[in-house]
Structure formats: C-alpha cells, structure tokens
C-alpha cells in the first residue's frame, strides 16, 4: 500500500497505481486526451501533467506510478496555463470542420476544447493536407484529424497483432498510416474496427453510407430489404440511452419497416440454426 | 653544436610581417654575440598564445616570453640563452591550461594497436577492477564525483549502483556514441583516437553492474570510428580481454556495435534502446528508468563515450586524484569542441571550472576575424547563448544551467558581431524541429509554431505579442514534452531572448537586423561613387534585377531584388551596400 | 591465443616502450584525413624510405588542433619534439629531408599549445 496526497487529499493505493488512477479514486479529475483505459499509456499529448512537491518538473499523470509520500498538485495557474497552451497547439494542427465531421459531438478533442472554454485561436493553423484514404469499404482515414495519440497503432500492433497501422516520418510531418505508406486496402488490415472505435477524433471513422440508403429507400423502383447482425439489437439500445444489455429486437424490426424496408432479415436465425446443428 | 631552440611568433592581431621582422633582428643579434651556431631560431606558425605581441618559446628550457620588444633581445641572449636563467618581467603566465585526461592518448598512440594502448597503461585498470570487485569499483567511481558527460550530468557511480542493485541475472551495458549535436565531435575523436580506453571503460562498467553483454551505439555517419572500434574489439577479443573469463577471472562480457541511423533523438536513452530493439526510435516515459527496465526489458546502464573514457584513469589513479580536479560539484575535465568564429577551432580539454573567457580567448585565441565577440553557445540545440559580460563564469554543470544554457555534450560555438541572435535561435530550433520524432504534441507542434514565429520575426512580419507567444510555447514545451529534446528545444530561443531581447525588438519594431544577417530585412543599393561599372553584379544577379551598362553604371531595381546578396558578395570594390 | 594475464600487460608494455627511439606521428582522425593526412602519410613513408631514415612512422588520432590539420609530430633524437601544422606533401618531404636527416627545424610550420598532460 502506498500513501500519498493529491491536492492535499490523502490517498491509499496499491503499488504501481498511476497518479491518474489514484486521482480518480479521490474524485479528482485530471484532464487527459491520448489516454484510454483499455491501453497502456503512450504519454503523447502532455495534457495530464501534474506537479509533485519538491520538483520543478511536471510529470504525466497517465504513466507515472505514484510513490510513497508524494504530494501531488493537479491544478494551479501554471499547470492550467501549460495544459491550455498544449491544447491550443493541438488545435492549431486540427481542422475546424466539426460540423461536417463524423465524430461531431462524440469527439474527445472537441469535448476538451469545450471544457477549456476555447473561444479563439491563439496560433495560426497548420494543416498538412494529406489526402484521405477511403480505399476500403469499412473506414475512412483522415490523417489531418489525427492528434498522434497512438491508440490505433497500439491496438493494431500490440492487441490485435495485425500491424496494419504505424507512424511514418518524423517531427511535424510524421503521420499515422498503413505501414510503408500503402493504401489501407493493400495493407494487412482485417477491418476489425478496433482502431476506429478507439480513435478520439475523426481521424479514423467508419465509412458512412446513410445518405445512399435514404436515396435507395426513396426510389420507388427499388425493393429494399435489410438484414441485421445479432449484436445490433443490443447496441442500438445504448445509443438511445437504454441501460446496457436491453434487448430491442421488436422495436428494431418495427423501426426498419417504418423506414421503408420491405423485408427485414435477421442473421440470428441462421445463427440459431448453426447452433442447433 | 646547437644547444637551444627559440620559437618566434608575432601574436599581435592583424600583424602579418612582425614575425619575420623580429626573426631577422634576432638573427643579426645572435650573429653579433657569436651564438649563431648554438641557437636555432624558428618562426612558428602558432605558438598557443594570442594577442600578446611577440612571443618566444625557448626549448628545451620551456620558457615562454610574451610582449617581447626589440630592445629585450640583448637581455634574452645574455640572461636566458647564455646562462639559462629566466627573465621575470617577460615571462608569460598562461591564465588557462588544457589538461588532457580523456584525450591523453589521442594523437599519441596508434588507435589500431592494442599493444600501443597497453604500453600506455592500458587495461591495467580493468585488471585492478577485477581484483577489487564490483563494490569497490562503484565506490571509487562514486567517490571520484564523475558525472555523465552525455549532457545530463547524472552521477555515474549512482547510475551504476542503481543498475547493480536491480535484481536480474541479465543486464546490459550500452555506450552512447550517437553524438548528434551540431558542432560537436568530441566522442568521435575519442573513439577514433583511443578506442581501447572506451572499451576498457565499458568492461569495467559492465563488471560493476553485472552485465555480460555490451553494445556500442554508434551513429552510422562515423565510419572511421566504427571501423576502429570494431578493430579494437577484435584485438581485445584475441587477447582475451573481451569475451569469456576475462583475465582468467569469472567475469565474461561480449561487446558488439549497433549502428544509429542518423536520428538525433536516438541519442536519448529510451529512444536509443527502442532503436537497438529494432523498433521506431521514439522516447518512452521514464520511470521506469533503464536501470530498472531497459534493453529487452532488462536492467541497463547507458553511459556516454567520454564518461567511459574517464573510467580507466580513475580506477588507475584513484578517486582522490580525480576529485582534486575541477569544482565543488563538477569533477575532472571536460572536452569541448570549440568552433564557429574562433581562431583555433578544434577540440580542447580543460579542468571543470575554467572560465569561458579563458576558453574562448586564451585557448581559442579569440575571434578569427578579430571582430567583436558577441556570445558563445554551449550545449548545442539544448543549450543557450552566453554573452560577453558573463564570460568570467567558471564552466561547470550548475553554473551553465543558471545562465539558461547547459553543459551538454560539449559543443561550444563562438559568435561575433556578424551573428544575428534571431538567426542563431532559428538555426538551433530548426534543428530540433527537423529532429523531433513527432510523438508528443508539445514538441511536434510547439517547435513548428515557434519556428514559424521566428521566421516572421526575421522577415519583419511580427509584433511584440509574438515574443509573448514564443515564451508561452517555450514554457509548454519545457514542461510538457516527453523527452529531453522537446524539454530543451526552446532553450536557444529563451536564452537569446533573455540576453538579446533588444535584437528581437529591433527586428520587430524597426524591421532592421543589426547584424545584417536576416536578408529579408536588408536593402541592397549600389554606391555610384565606388562603382567601377564592371557589370559583374548585373551578371551575378539571378533575378536580373540589376540594370544598366558599362557607360552609365548600374542600379538595383528594389522591386525585383530578392535580397539574395549575390551582388554584395560579387562586387570587388565594396560598391554594393547592404542596409 | 591464450587469455592474457595481468603480467602479460607489463611484458607487452616494455616491448613497445622505447622512449628514445625517433618517431613521426601523423594525425589520422576524420579531421586529419579530411585535410589530406593520408597523402601526407604516404609522402612521409616514401621519403623516409628514399632517405633510408630509420624512423618509426605512426598513424595516430587527433591532437585537437583540427583547424591546423594535417598535423605531424616529430621526435628525432637530439632535437626538440615539435608539431608541424597544415602539412602538405611537399612539406612532408621537407620534414624528412630537413628535420629528420638535416637536423633543421622547418620555418613557419610549427604549432605549439599550452597544455599539461596527464600521466
Ligand atoms: C535528444 C537527446 C539526444 C541525446 N544525445 C546524446 C548523445 O548523442 N550522446 C550521449 O552520450 N548522450 C545523449 N543524450 C543523453 C542520453 O539520454 C543519456 O543521458 C546519456 O547517454 C547518459 O550517459 P552519461 O550519464 O554518461 O552522460 C541525449 C539526450 C537527449 C534528450
């Protein structure tokens, strides 16, 4: 057990606990950006810095194990100013097209900017203008929106062991991309989707065909049918604010018919058949 | 029969014929005293003393006289040459000496001969260390006060004992020879001139921490160093000094070379480890420190070339011998690569605590051009500039840090009044921006934004608020960057701002570069009174902005001029003016 | 070859140590080579052979005065030990003929530095 204080509040935590985790235990919120609870810290963004009494350095809360007797300060004018400057720097390298972005309202960078009350731009914008990669039927990669958190690469290489994504180049012109700069469709990508579900911004986003579907449904010459995967009946509930795990099968069928699909097929029928065999 | 030799050199700045003149007078005087056959007079190219008029060095007595006048010749002949007695009032007392500990063999021994190294006390320290045991070795190194020469100045003994005390039966020793600072080549010189000393240091370190494998991480741009280190390892192997059961003891250690592929950041220890492991060379957060979890996850000790080169002589001569040299908290000597606008560019080694003034003026000989000294830059891209009024600072880790610079690995660049501080800041920052790995946001974007601000300043497109922006970003980079590269990249900007803010303001407010370096702020015009109408400038102009003919003379069309400065360089008559 | 023992070190040292011998050292680190030390070395080697001078010629590292390379240090019995700077091929031959064989120091090439060397 380690005893330390955070903003004067005593904490008792197991050895190896990071400052970030310890702070959560005593309801102190340290802002983060690159950190993701599923993944080891990449320590890339520099937003979660805190002060430790007796040192004039600032340490990253996400990856620094708390030590016995540490007195940690998470907020003071200097820390907040540094965090804010880092955030402004990141924003200076990020397009302002939130309204058109697939991640609008579910973007971690957007949330952080809102939390810091960013209202104007302190630094000129520098966007590399690297073209999007929409070579697969699954995702669109938009390198300009990448904040270099490294989550997708960590997931792709270490968790999934696919090694389709990596960082290329260095410095300001470094970017995440399919290895060796190929298009995603030519890369070893298996379209597992882990990268896009961990991306904090709109840099990796599922290919969106909603508009095409609406067009087909409204075309009287088309006979539209739909088939749903087993997981959707539960996942959709969460999107509508139901408690996790709520089964929405009936509602889902109804909605799909009301949207204009002439027939609704369910993959789980075939799944059940498979199980019975 | 010749008994004495007199070296002569006129060290008066700008003097070209003084040496010859004095030589002739002296020759005549010798002939008069009938000593022409006994005394050998030689005009020296450089006598190691500067700005002290005529300087004589008398051998073999090793007496140096400075500011010698023609009327002193008689006395010198009578007192010194005839009777071997020194003349007090002429004696030259150097204010600063070089002290070559690390470089003691460089230029003396054949780096490709292990026997030559052994003949110069080589591998005795290793043999002594093996007998004394690891604890004694660490105690000696700790007591010596040796601190890391790679830039950080971390106490070497402490680093060794931390690595030793981490449990684990597999440990690694790494020699950091990635030396990437612009203007620095101390480590290259040591590896090329005395590779066995570094190998011996590695073996002693490996023995102390309990490693059985060591790696030299040498940048690929150093082919000769790589070749000589490899040869040295092979020779040591053949003698049983590397490999199994060294000196017949239980200690075994192998050494291998790994090449760095030219990324400055790979000199940072965690990035270096990633690079050896075959990964992308980017830093990772510390802790865990390499001493706990380093190469392949094992306890690892990383030391700089010069640090390791100090080790054998400390073990041989004892910690007390070493700790007598230097200052309170910085022991021993430091090798500097003195370059830039200095007369004697090259490598020097001085005791810690030598003042910057002595380094630049006594040893370096002052500015090469004779122009006014402006500042000296230490610590490379992580360091800062130190202006004239602080030159009397004794060099050590703590003093330099107080002045906003750092010791760094030992690059020292001398600047004179032609150097623009905005331009210098831009140069160093550009280096760090190019070398940033791009992993962390403060360094990747902060550096780029700062460079953009500096470029605007040097083009006269900035406001005073931009200075505040520079300071704001600098602070964020210092505090929030992941590794030393980003944390220190702003130092050159901050230190030039600290000591030369006037120059920045001059660029911003008056759109003027006082050193006439920032070409965008210059205007080129032809002074008709000096123009010889030769037309060379017009031919050299890449934009055809100079019009006229040999009859009427030439003028520069400022609208078309791109301020490249070609005409200014080309004109032999100084008729092109730069304002 | 069998592993060396501590005593072997002393044996090797005494075999190599011959302080009084005459020798010439050429700075052959990157700085020296870039300034032309290889050609100087070849010229010295050739001229020593022509003159039949029994002087040991050695390739060494950098003495530090990189701006003044190529550096050639000469130690001939009975003469002061000196370092010549900015040596070219012609000068190298002069060193052998003048200094090594003729007992004369070359004018305008000697460089000296103020240093204390460690043992
Ligand atoms: C960006 C960066 C570059 C570095 N480059 C070098 C280098 O080229 N050589 C070196 O010895 N140390 C370099 N260091 C310092 C090393 O990280 C490390 O502190 C050093 O090798 C430790 O050895 P020492 O204790 O003997 O100094 C660098 C550090 C940083 C942050």
């Amino acid at each position: 057990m380690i005893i330390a204080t955070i903003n004067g509040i005593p904490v008792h935590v197991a050895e190896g606990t990071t400052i970030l985790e310890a702070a959560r235990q005593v309801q102190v919120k340290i802002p983060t950006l690159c950190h993701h609870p599923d993944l080891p810290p990449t320590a890339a963004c520099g937003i979660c810095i805190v002060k430790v009494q007796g040192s004039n350095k600032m340490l990253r809360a996400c990856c620094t194990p708390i030590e016995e007797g540490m007195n940690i300060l998470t907020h003071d004018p200097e820390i907040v100013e540094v965090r804010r400057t880092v955030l402004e720097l990141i924003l200076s390298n990020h397009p302002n097209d939130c309204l058109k972005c697939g991640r609008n309202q579910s973007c971690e960078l957007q949330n952080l900017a809102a939390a810091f009350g960013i209202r104007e731009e302190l630094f000129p914008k520098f966007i590399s203008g690297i073209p999007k990669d929409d070579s697969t039927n699954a995702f669109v990669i938009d390198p300009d929106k990448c904040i270099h958190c490294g989550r997708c690469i960590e997931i792709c290489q270490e968790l999934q062991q696919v090694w389709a994504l990596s960082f290329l180049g260095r410095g300001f012109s470094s970017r995440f991309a399919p290895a060796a700069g190929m298009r995603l469709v030519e890369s070893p990508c298996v379209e597992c989707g882990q990268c896009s579900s961990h991306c904090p911004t709109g840099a990796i986003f599922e290919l969106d065909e909603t508009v095409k579907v609406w067009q087909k449904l409204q075309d009287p010459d088309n006979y539209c049918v739909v088939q749903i995967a087993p997981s959707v009946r539960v996942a959709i509930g969460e999107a509508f604010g139901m408690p996790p795990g709520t089964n929405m099968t009936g509602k889902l069928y109804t909605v799909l018919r009301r949207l204009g699909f002439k027939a609704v097929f369910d993959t789980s029928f075939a799944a059940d058949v498979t199980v019975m065999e | 029969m010749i008994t004495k030799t007199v070296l002569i050199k006129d060290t008066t700045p700008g003097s070209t014929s003084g040496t010859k003149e004095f030589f002739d007078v002296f020759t005549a005087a010798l002939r008069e005293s009938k000593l022409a056959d006994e005394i050998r007079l030689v005009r020296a190219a450089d006598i190691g003393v500067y700005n002290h008029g005529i300087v004589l060095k008398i051998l073999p007595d090793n007496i140096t006289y400075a500011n010698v006048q023609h009327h002193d010749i008689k006395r010198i002949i009578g007192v010194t040459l005839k009777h071997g007695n020194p003349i007090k009032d002429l004696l030259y007392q150097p204010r600063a000496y070089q002290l070559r500990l690390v470089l003691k063999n460089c230029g003396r021994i054949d780096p490709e001969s292990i026997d030559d190294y052994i003949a110069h006390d080589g591998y005795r320290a290793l043999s002594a260390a093996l007998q004394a045991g690891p604890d004694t070795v660490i105690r000696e190194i700790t007591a010596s006060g040796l601190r890391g020469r790679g830039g950080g100045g971390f106490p070497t003994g402490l680093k060794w004992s931390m690595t030793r005390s981490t449990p684990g039966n597999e440990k690694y020793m790494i020699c950091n020879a990635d030396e990437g600072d612009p203007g620095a080549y101390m480590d290259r010189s040591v590896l090329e001139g005395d590779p066995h000393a570094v190998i011996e240091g590695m073996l002693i370190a490996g023995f102390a921490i309990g490693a059985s494998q060591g790696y030299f991480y040498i940048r690929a741009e150093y082919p000769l160093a790589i070749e000589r280190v490899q040869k040295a390892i092979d020779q040591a192997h053949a003698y049983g000094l590397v490999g199994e059961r060294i000196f017949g003891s239980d200690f075994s250690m192998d050494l291998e070379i790994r090449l760095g592929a030219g990324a400055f950041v790979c000199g940072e220890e965690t990035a270096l480890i990633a690079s050896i492991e075959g990964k992308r060379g980017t830093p990772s957060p510390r802790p865990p420190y390499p001493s706990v979890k380093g190469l392949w996850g094992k306890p690892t000790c990383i030391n700089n070339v010069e640090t390791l080169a100090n080790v054998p002589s400390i073990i041989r001569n004892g910690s007390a011998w070493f700790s007598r040299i230097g200052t309170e908290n910085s022991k021993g000597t430091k090798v500097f690569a003195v370059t830039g606008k200095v007369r004697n560019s090259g490598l020097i080694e001085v005791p810690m605590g030598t003042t910057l003034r002595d380094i630049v003026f006594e040893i370096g000989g002052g500015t090469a051009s004779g122009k006014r000294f402006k500042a000296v830059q230490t610590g490379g891209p992580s360091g800062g500039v130190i202006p004239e009024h602080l030159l009397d600072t004794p060099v050590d880790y703590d003093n330099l840090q107080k002045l906003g610079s750092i010791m760094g690995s030992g690059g020292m660049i001398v600047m004179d009044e032609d150097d623009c501080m905005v331009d210098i800041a831009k140069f160093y920052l550009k280096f760090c921006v190019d070398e940033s790995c791009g992993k962390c946001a403060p360094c990747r974007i902060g550096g780029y934004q700062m460079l953009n601000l500096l470029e605007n300043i040097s083009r006269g497109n900035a406001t005073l608020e931009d200075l505040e922006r520079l300071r704001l970003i600098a602070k964020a980079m210092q505090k929030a960057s992941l590794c030393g590269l980003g944390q220190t990249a702003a130092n050159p900007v901050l230190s030039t701002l600290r000591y030369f803010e006037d120059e920045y303001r001059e660029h911003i407010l008056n759109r003027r570069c006082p050193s006439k370096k920032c070409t965008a702020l210059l205007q080129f015009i032809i002074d008709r009174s000096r123009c010889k109408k030769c037309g060379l400038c017009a031919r050299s102009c890449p934009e055809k902005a100079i019009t006229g003919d040999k009859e009427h003379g030439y003028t520069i069309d400022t609208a078309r001029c791109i301020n490249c400065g070609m005409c200014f360089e080309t004109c032999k008559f100084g008729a092109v003016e730069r304002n | 070859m069998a592993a060396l023992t501590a005593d072997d070190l002393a044996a090797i040292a005494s075999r190599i140590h011959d302080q009084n011998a005459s020798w010439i050292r050429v700075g052959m680190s990157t700085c020296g080579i870039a300034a032309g030390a290889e050609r100087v070395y070849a010229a010295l080697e050739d001229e020593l052979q022509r003159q039949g001078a029994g002087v040991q010629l050695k390739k060494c590292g950098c003495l530090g005065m990189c701006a003044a390379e190529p550096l050639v240090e000469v130690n001939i019995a009975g003469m002061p030990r000196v370092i010549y700077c900015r040596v070219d091929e012609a000068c190298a031959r002069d060193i052998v003929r003048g200094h090594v064989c003729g007992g004369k120091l070359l004018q305008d090439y000697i460089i000296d530095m103020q240093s204390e060397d460690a043992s």
Side-chain angles (χ1 to χ4, degrees):
Chain A
M1 234 16 191
I2 282 177
I3 304 179
T5 74
I6 295 177
N7 299 342
I9 308 166
V11 289
H12 300 252
V13 292
E15 197 167 328
T17 308
T18 63
I19 295 175
L20 185 65
E21 291 160 347
R24 293 226 165 117
Q25 291 187 14
V26 290
Q27 276 75 48
V28 171
K29 186 173 158 98
I30 300 172
T32 58
L33 183 56
C34 64
H35 181 262
H36 192 286
D38 292 354
L39 302 170
T42 58
C45 71
I47 293 282
C48 68
I49 41 157
V50 295
K51 281 184 183 170
V52 176
Q53 197 179 41
S55 160
N56 64 358
K57 287 196 168 170
M58 294 191 191
L59 300 175
R60 281 166 160 68
C62 66
C63 60
T64 311
I66 199 162
E67 283 170 27
E68 183 68 35
M70 268 186 177
N71 295 317
I72 293 154
L73 189 63
T74 65
H75 290 76
D76 75 359
E78 198 187 9
I79 300 174
V80 173
E81 183 194 74
V82 170
R83 278 185 195 144
R84 193 184 172 88
T85 309
V86 172
L87 179 60
E88 308 240 26
L89 287 170
I90 294 173
L91 292 172
S92 78
N93 186 219
H94 192 87
N96 278 352
D97 62 355
C98 297
L99 286 179
K100 293 181 285 174
C101 178
R103 203 71 80 183
N104 192 12
Q105 302 205 52
S106 63
C107 169
E108 295 175 36
L109 182 60
Q110 199 181 41
N111 292 345
L112 201 64
F116 274 81
I118 304 282
R119 291 290 176 269
E120 49 195 78
E121 291 176 342
L122 191 56
F123 306 120
K125 274 257 188 261
F126 290 106
I127 308 286
S128 309
I130 306 167
K132 291 182 186 175
D133 177 344
D134 55 2
S135 60
T136 67
N137 289 323
F139 309 104
V140 179
I141 292 183
D142 187 351
D144 283 349
K145 290 193 179 146
C146 173
I147 56 163
H148 294 228
C149 69
R151 288 182 196 171
C152 56
I153 292 169
E154 181 71 28
I155 285 265
C156 185
Q157 298 184 352
E158 300 299 330
L159 256 72
Q160 304 295 77
Q161 290 286 323
V162 173
W163 292 78
L165 293 175
S166 67
F167 276 119
L168 298 182
R170 61 180 170 189
F172 195 71
S173 50
S174 64
R175 63 198 165 99
F176 90 103
M182 28 179 146
R183 294 192 310 157
L184 193 57
V185 70
E186 294 146 359
S187 80
C189 174
V190 296
E191 300 178 2
C192 70
Q194 285 299 321
C195 54
S196 84
S197 68
H198 285 83
C199 180
T201 67
I204 307 183
F205 200 72
E206 297 86 21
L207 190 70
D208 185 354
E209 294 185 315
T210 317
V211 175
K212 270 195 208 161
V213 174
W214 276 121
Q215 281 168 353
K216 292 289 174 201
L217 282 171
Q218 280 155 6
D219 182 349
D221 292 342
N222 268 310
Y223 186 86
C224 292
V225 301
V226 63
Q227 177 165 343
I228 60 168
S231 64
V232 174
R233 74 205 64 233
V234 175
I236 196 136
E238 276 186 58
F240 282 91
M242 305 286 166
T246 312
N247 189 343
M248 308 282 288
T249 315
K251 289 196 170 72
L252 190 56
Y253 290 169
T254 309
V255 162
L256 290 169
R257 290 301 298 267
R258 286 193 187 173
L259 287 176
F261 286 106
K262 298 284 190 315
V264 178
F265 297 93
D266 194 335
T267 307
S268 55
F269 170 74
D272 287 348
V273 175
T274 316
V275 172
M276 281 187 287
E277 271 184 17
Chain B
M1 169 58 189
I2 289 183
T3 56
K4 287 190 199 303
T5 301
V6 181
L7 300 181
I8 299 175
K9 170 76 185 168
D10 182 5
T11 68
T12 316
S15 160
T16 47
S17 57
T19 311
K20 185 114 182 48
E21 232 177 82
F22 191 86
F23 177 86
D24 294 342
V25 177
F26 209 129
T27 311
L30 281 179
R31 216 173 288 135
E32 220 166 274
S33 325
K34 311 229 165 343
L35 283 173
D37 295 337
E38 285 165 48
I39 308 294
R40 177 197 283 129
L41 283 192
V42 186
R43 294 186 303 269
D46 189 328
I47 205 156
V49 178
Y50 307 95
N51 307 327
H52 277 86
I54 305 274
V55 177
L56 304 185
K57 183 162 183 178
I58 297 159
L59 301 170
D61 311 65
N62 225 351
I63 293 173
T64 306
Y65 291 145
N67 293 313
V68 178
Q69 307 291 328
H70 286 212
H71 60 74
D72 294 321
I73 293 177
K74 278 221 161 59
R75 281 202 291 162
I76 293 172
I77 293 177
V79 179
T80 312
L81 297 183
K82 279 196 180 148
H83 297 104
N85 296 322
I87 303 171
K88 284 236 166 56
D89 58 299
L90 288 180
L91 270 184
Y92 173 72
Q93 296 290 350
R95 284 162 39 88
Y97 275 112
Q98 289 205 47
L99 177 59
R100 295 165 65 95
L101 309 184
V102 170
L103 301 178
K104 79 181 175 85
N105 286 335
C106 285
R108 298 272 149 74
I109 67 167
D110 178 353
E112 301 192 0
S113 157
I114 188 170
D115 287 357
D116 209 2
Y117 179 67
I118 290 173
H120 289 78
D121 299 325
Y123 290 107
R124 288 187 201 201
L126 176 61
S127 152
L130 294 185
Q131 265 159 24
D135 293 320
T136 313
V137 170
I138 291 180
R139 215 178 308 127
E140 274 300 288
I141 295 296
T142 308
S144 75
L146 176 66
R147 293 171 65 174
R149 303 291 195 242
F154 193 83
T156 306
L158 183 57
K159 193 184 271 190
W160 290 11
S161 77
M162 277 164 27
T163 319
R164 175 167 178 76
S165 61
T166 308
N169 43 15
E170 226 182 317
K171 296 181 185 177
Y172 294 102
M173 183 68 216
I174 297 176
C175 171
N176 187 345
D178 194 49
E179 197 171 51
D181 308 26
Y185 58 100
M186 303 75 47
D187 295 347
R188 184 189 76 198
S189 200
V190 172
L191 291 175
E192 287 178 357
D194 197 10
H196 283 286
V198 187
I199 291 177
E200 190 177 0
M202 274 285 262
L203 293 166
I204 295 170
F207 173 66
I209 65 167
S212 51
Q213 175 71 45
Y215 292 100
F216 279 91
Y217 188 82
I218 311 179
R219 61 189 306 210
E221 292 88 336
Y222 282 178
L224 189 63
I226 293 163
E227 183 189 319
R228 289 193 179 155
V229 171
Q230 187 59 56
K231 254 188 205 158
I233 293 175
D234 294 344
Q235 290 170 348
H237 215 284
Y239 272 181
L241 296 171
V242 167
E244 296 290 307
R245 302 181 60 81
I246 294 169
F247 274 125
S249 72
D250 292 337
F251 172 59
S252 301
M253 182 165 171
D254 261 318
L255 296 178
E256 275 178 53
I257 295 178
R258 289 285 180 275
L259 299 192
F264 176 61
V265 75
C266 285
E268 195 281 336
E269 50 193 28
T270 58
L272 187 155
I273 288 173
S275 166
I276 294 185
E277 288 174 349
K279 299 188 186 140
R280 189 177 153 89
T282 55
S284 27
R286 297 175 305 175
Y289 288 93
S291 59
V292 174
K293 200 162 170 255
L295 187 60
W296 321 114
K298 309 282 186 219
T300 302
C301 177
I302 301 181
N303 276 127
N304 165 260
V305 171
E306 193 183 328
T307 313
L308 291 170
N310 267 301
V311 167
S313 45
I314 295 175
I315 298 296
R316 230 176 23 246
N317 300 311
S319 56
W321 164 82
F322 188 79
S323 62
R324 268 199 300 275
I325 307 160
T327 64
E328 177 74 27
N329 291 317
S330 305
K331 298 299 184 191
T333 60
K334 181 74 194 83
V335 182
F336 290 102
V338 186
T339 56
K341 303 281 179 65
V342 68
R343 182 199 309 251
N344 290 330
S345 53
L347 289 187
I348 61 156
E349 182 174 357
V350 289
M352 296 276 191
T354 306
T355 67
L356 285 164
R357 190 180 301 282
D358 284 344
I359 293 176
V360 173
F361 288 96
E362 286 285 310
I363 299 170
T367 58
S369 56
K371 290 195 178 161
R372 225 184 68 230
F373 167 91
K374 190 178 217 170
V376 57
Q377 211 280 354
T378 72
S382 315
V385 296
I386 295 166
E388 159 96 47
H389 73 273
L390 294 171
L391 276 188
D392 291 311
T393 311
V395 169
D396 69 12
Y397 291 101
D398 314 300
N399 280 339
L400 289 180
Q401 193 139 28
K402 270 184 234 143
L403 298 183
S405 185
I406 58 164
M407 174 84 84
S409 51
M412 200 178 263
I413 300 180
V414 176
M415 295 162 195
D416 68 14
E417 58 189 3
D418 287 344
D419 289 305
C420 164
M421 289 298 129
V422 177
D423 192 58
I424 293 294
K426 215 167 69 179
F427 169 80
Y428 282 107
L429 189 66
K430 172 110 181 21
F431 178 83
C432 285
V433 169
D434 289 344
E435 293 295 336
S436 162
C437 72
K439 176 166 173 168
C440 77
C443 175
R444 180 183 73 250
I445 312 171
Y448 193 83
Q449 287 280 4
M450 280 183 87
L451 187 60
N452 178 57
L453 288 169
L454 288 181
E455 261 156 17
N456 287 343
I457 293 173
S458 70
R459 287 202 204 99
N461 294 334
T463 61
L464 287 180
E465 284 91 76
D466 287 334
L467 295 184
E468 287 323 300
R469 287 203 178 93
L470 279 176
R471 291 194 169 101
L472 196 64
I473 303 177
K475 172 90 169 272
M477 289 178 75
Q478 285 179 323
K479 296 294 179 186
S481 292
L482 181 58
C483 84
L485 191 152
Q487 286 161 8
T488 59
N491 283 356
V493 181
L494 287 176
S495 78
T496 46
L497 259 178
R498 176 165 163 188
Y499 298 118
F500 297 96
E501 186 168 340
D502 283 356
E503 257 181 62
Y504 279 84
R505 291 174 156 266
E506 191 67 16
H507 283 75
I508 294 172
L509 298 175
N510 300 330
R511 307 190 78 241
R512 213 179 69 84
C513 173
S515 310
K516 302 192 174 174
K517 198 83 189 181
C518 298
T519 45
L521 298 181
L522 298 179
Q523 227 188 8
F524 292 85
I525 44 168
I526 293 173
D527 177 356
R528 296 228 153 204
S529 66
R530 266 186 269 169
C531 176
K532 296 274 188 285
K533 303 179 183 174
C534 69
L536 216 55
C537 56
R539 262 176 284 148
S540 75
C541 178
E543 290 296 303
K544 310 236 176 305
I546 302 180
T547 51
D549 54 47
K550 294 201 171 173
E551 210 174 311
H552 301 94
Y554 294 85
T555 45
I556 301 176
D557 176 359
T558 42
R560 269 153 91 190
C561 173
I562 55 162
N563 290 346
C564 68
M566 214 59 159
C567 50
F568 180 82
E569 305 286 333
T570 317
C571 181
K572 294 195 177 77
F573 310 103
V576 178
E577 281 183 356
R578 228 176 24 166
N579 294 307
Chain C
M1 172 165 181
L4 228 56
T5 66
D7 292 337
D8 295 335
L9 291 182
I12 292 172
S14 64
R15 174 154 54 83
I16 291 285
H17 253 297
D18 194 355
Q19 289 292 11
N20 297 324
S22 295
W23 47 252
I24 299 179
R25 296 169 180 161
V26 186
M28 301 272 273
S29 279
T30 296
C31 46
I33 291 172
E38 275 172 345
R39 286 193 301 276
V40 169
Y41 186 89
L44 286 169
E45 197 171 33
D46 179 60
E47 196 62 34
L48 284 172
Q49 205 177 6
R50 277 177 203 225
Q51 305 292 336
V55 173
Q56 188 200 1
L57 182 60
K58 198 155 101 171
K59 294 182 184 179
C60 290
C62 161
L63 276 171
M65 298 169 280
C66 309
E69 293 277 1
L71 295 173
V72 174
E73 191 172 8
V74 183
N75 182 50
I76 299 295
M79 305 260 291
R81 185 169 121 188
V82 295
I83 304 170
Y84 291 108
C85 66
R86 298 194 179 87
V87 175
D88 56 15
E89 287 161 88
C91 170
R93 292 186 190 275
D94 286 346
I95 290 173
V96 176
R97 288 187 222 125
H99 184 151
V100 177
C101 304
K104 281 207 192 79
L105 298 183
L106 267 61
Q107 296 289 354
D108 302 318
Y109 276 101
I110 290 175
I111 187 167
D112 205 63
M113 62 171 163
Q114 303 285 329
S115 87
E116 264 178 303
D117 282 15
S119 51

